[in-house]
Amino acid sequence: MRVVVDLDLCQGHGMCELEAPDVFEAGRDSVDLLDENPDESRRADVEAAVRYCPTQALKIVED
């Protein structure tokens, strides 16, 4: 699994960081990926982060 952040949409709300703090880090204006390819054991948290993103700036890409 690979995580992609659309920086044109991201507004740095930080909902993703709340769901998966070891994968995302919210900044002032956008989110930084701490782990672009998180382990499958993190899938449920990453999927929750994608769901809760208010601007739908996150997506999971299957490799």
Side-chain angles (χ1 to χ4, degrees), residues 2 4-5 7 9 12 14 16-17 19-22 29 31-32 35-38 44-47 52-53:
R2 187 167 56 90
V4 178
V5 178
L7 295 176
L9 294 175
C16 55
E17 184 177 16
E19 296 299 324
D22 56 330
D29 297 323
V31 168
D32 292 326
D35 187 357
E36 184 178 308
N37 297 302
D45 293 334
V46 172
E47 287 176 345
Y52 295 131
C53 177

Side-chain angles (χ1 to χ4, degrees), residues 15-49:
M15 297 302 290
C16 55
E17 184 177 16
L18 294 174
E19 296 299 324
D22 56 330
V23 177
F24 304 99
E25 181 176 64
R28 195 166 143 211
D29 297 323
S30 65
V31 168
D32 292 326
L33 280 173
L34 300 176
D35 187 357
E36 184 178 308
N37 297 302
D39 187 83
E40 281 295 316
S41 65
R42 304 297 296 138
R43 180 174 286 277
D45 293 334
V46 172
E47 287 176 345

